[in-house]
Amino acid sequence: MKIQWSLIAALLFALITAVFAVINVNPVSVNLLFGTVNVPLILLIIGCSLIGGLIVGTFGIYRQYQMQKEIRSLAEELIHIRQATGYTPEVQAAEEEKKKEQQDMPVEP
């Protein structure tokens, strides 16, 4: 559901940006370090929006890579700890079964 709301918000933002860009079609002068350039404002708005989207997307991909790397590291650490202690899923199931049997047994006075 979160992805759907994110998609709706992104489409709404794109629509607002497109309408804003179409309204502002007058040429503007952009001062660069080496000179000035006359550019239609619509291209400037769309270009800056695209550059901002690329920066945010790149940051998101980088964060996702970091999280996957951390998950892999933690999974390996968990396997190492289970091997060192001898604690396996079979042992866990046996312990849970033993606890369940103890809880089900009636207490004699």
Side-chain angles (χ1 to χ4, degrees), residues 17-86:
T17 303
V19 169
F20 182 72
V22 169
I23 292 171
N24 295 294
V25 292
N26 297 334
V28 294
S29 86
V30 178
N31 189 6
L32 305 172
L33 292 175
F34 50 85
T36 60
V37 178
N38 286 331
V39 179
L41 189 55
I42 187 171
L43 293 179
L44 192 63
I45 292 169
I46 292 174
C48 289
S49 296
L50 288 175
I51 290 172
L54 287 173
I55 291 170
V56 169
T58 302
F59 180 73
I61 290 171
Y62 175 71
R63 276 296 282 157
Q64 185 177 6
Y65 171 75
Q66 278 186 327
M67 294 303 248
Q68 286 178 348
K69 187 176 173 183
E70 184 176 352
I71 289 170
R72 223 176 296 124
S73 170
L74 291 172
E76 289 172 1
E77 185 178 342
L78 178 63
I79 290 170
H80 176 69
I81 290 171
R82 283 185 173 173
Q83 288 174 348
T85 61

Side-chain angles (χ1 to χ4, degrees), residues 100-109:
K100 187 177 179 184
E101 286 176 4
Q102 289 175 352
Q103 290 175 352
D104 291 342
M105 291 179 63
V107 178
E108 294 181 19

